[in-house]
Amino acid sequence: MKLRIATWNINSVRRRIDSVERFIKEYDIDILCLQETKVHNDSFPMKAIKAMGFEHVAINGQKAYHGVATFSKIPFSKVEKIEFCEKGDARHLSTSFITPSSGEVTLHNFYVPAGGDVADVNENEKFKHKMDFLAEMTDIFTKQANDSSAILVGDLNIAPHENDVWSHKQLLKVVSHTPLEVEKLKILQDSMDWQDLVREHIPTTEKLYSWWSYRSRDWTQSNKGRRLDHIWVTQPLGNKHTNMEIALAPRSWEAPSDHAPIIADFDFS
DNA sequence: ATGGTCGACTTTCGA
């Protein structure tokens, strides 16, 4: 059983429904996790997604902001969502599916708060929310068994390594790359011994980004990116992933998202 | 010279 799983911050699923269709066709995606769908569940383009061949659709949306969705060509054995920080935000969705080699695998889809502009929990409520959110994630995973088979994907809004940003020095005080965020992300990663699947395939000695600001005339020329999007796996799945790609082409499609999709291939035979 | 550009849903915020 080979599965191609992708994660993509789509920045409005309705605005980019054509790009979603093009992406899943050109890249032959089996399970797609979206973040920032920006649509209430009542207005979600369910018909269009099902017409693309995704019979199994899980959504957690709210009006105008945030929102996550997971589409699959194979059935879910379980669907759950966790509300973080008692804010009523739609930032998490987990779906599980059954595999021959690893039994039930749980796929977490996350949209971590961006955190605003000021990297100080006392001065910036949004940054405090981001830190609280990471702490809650850590608590939840600390309580789970390390030997369970799980995948965590999404926009974590943190670029941890020096080569996950275009300039380590210039971004040290910029939210997404501050030492405090990097430390908290590491603690979260250690909570369940998560492996950074993307960096398993491309070492930290190479620059690697998944997001480029809209505020640049030519993102390819300036190439001032950050690696905000991630795919992690627990130890039991450490030998189940066969390939990985950050798909750069969709960042240049018409009316693109500011994030590139990340694709991971698994063999659960 | 705190800019530059998106999306949602109002005239401004969040990213």
Side-chain angles (χ1 to χ4, degrees):
Chain A
M1 182 199 218
K2 291 180 178 174
L3 281 182
R4 175 165 279 189
I5 299 176
T7 179
W8 195 6
N9 180 319
I10 197 65
N11 187 18
S12 173
V13 66
R14 288 178 294 180
R15 178 70 184 84
R16 257 169 280 289
I17 194 70
D18 293 342
S19 296
V20 170
E21 180 167 21
R22 182 175 174 185
F23 175 64
I24 61 105
K25 281 185 175 162
E26 287 191 13
Y27 291 86
D28 195 22
I29 303 301
D30 297 306
I31 302 179
L32 176 60
C33 298
L34 295 181
Q35 302 86 37
E36 280 208 89
T37 51
K38 290 189 173 177
V39 62
H40 192 272
N41 288 350
D42 295 343
S43 308
F44 190 88
M46 189 67 77
K47 267 190 182 173
I49 298 298
K50 295 211 166 176
M52 294 175 201
F54 293 100
E55 283 185 50
H56 313 280
V57 180
I59 55 175
N60 182 15
Q62 65 184 83
K63 189 180 177 183
Y65 300 105
H66 324 313
V68 289
T70 302
F71 320 143
S72 175
K73 291 177 179 171
I74 64 164
F76 299 132
S77 53
K78 200 189 293 173
V79 176
E80 291 176 336
K81 57 188 173 190
I82 303 169
E83 186 196 321
F84 286 83
C85 304
E86 296 176 346
K87 276 183 169 286
D89 284 356
R91 295 180 178 274
H92 170 265
L93 190 59
S94 83
T95 50
S96 304
F97 50 90
I98 307 296
T99 67
S101 68
S102 308
E104 184 170 64
V105 174
T106 297
L107 171 63
H108 292 279
N109 179 356
F110 274 102
Y111 176 52
V112 172
D117 291 329
V118 180
D120 185 322
V121 293
N122 297 313
E123 289 180 21
N124 176 6
E125 185 57 39
K126 288 178 195 162
F127 192 71
K128 184 177 186 307
H129 179 208
K130 185 176 197 174
M131 294 298 104
D132 291 346
F133 194 99
L134 292 167
E136 273 194 40
M137 284 176 75
T138 303
D139 281 349
I140 286 164
F141 290 124
T142 300
K143 287 170 191 156
Q144 293 188 14
N146 265 24
D147 61 351
S148 59
S149 296
I151 304 168
L152 187 160
V153 309
D155 179 1
L156 304 186
N157 266 316
I158 297 173
H161 305 293
E162 290 192 17
N163 285 333
D164 291 339
V165 293
W166 63 275
S167 168
H168 172 60
K169 207 172 169 183
Q170 284 177 259
L171 285 163
L172 270 171
K173 291 182 178 173
V174 174
V175 172
S176 73
H177 191 62
T178 63
L180 180 62
E181 288 167 273
V182 172
E183 180 198 336
K184 297 301 181 191
L185 191 74
K186 181 76 172 74
I187 294 168
L188 168 63
Q189 200 171 349
D190 289 344
S191 68
M192 216 172 148
D193 210 4
W194 292 101
Q195 287 183 10
D196 181 343
L197 181 150
V198 174
R199 282 306 191 181
E200 296 275 316
H201 289 267
I202 299 173
T204 51
T205 48
E206 279 184 47
K207 290 275 185 193
L208 198 59
Y209 318 131
S210 66
W211 172 87
W212 297 259
S213 172
Y214 283 126
R215 300 169 191 174
S216 165
R217 278 192 185 82
D218 184 343
W219 72 279
T220 57
Q221 194 171 26
S222 52
N223 197 24
K224 291 183 174 178
R226 305 178 203 170
R227 190 171 72 100
L228 304 179
D229 303 274
H230 299 265
I231 302 183
W232 292 354
V233 295
T234 52
Q235 295 295 329
L237 300 186
N239 61 352
K240 301 299 178 194
H241 53 94
T242 56
N243 210 353
M244 189 287 300
E245 179 189 359
I246 299 182
L248 299 181
R251 182 64 183 79
S252 291
W253 288 350
E254 196 184 337
S257 165
D258 43 356
H259 293 253
I262 304 180
I263 300 164
D265 288 314
F266 291 87
D267 190 347
F268 294 114
S269 301

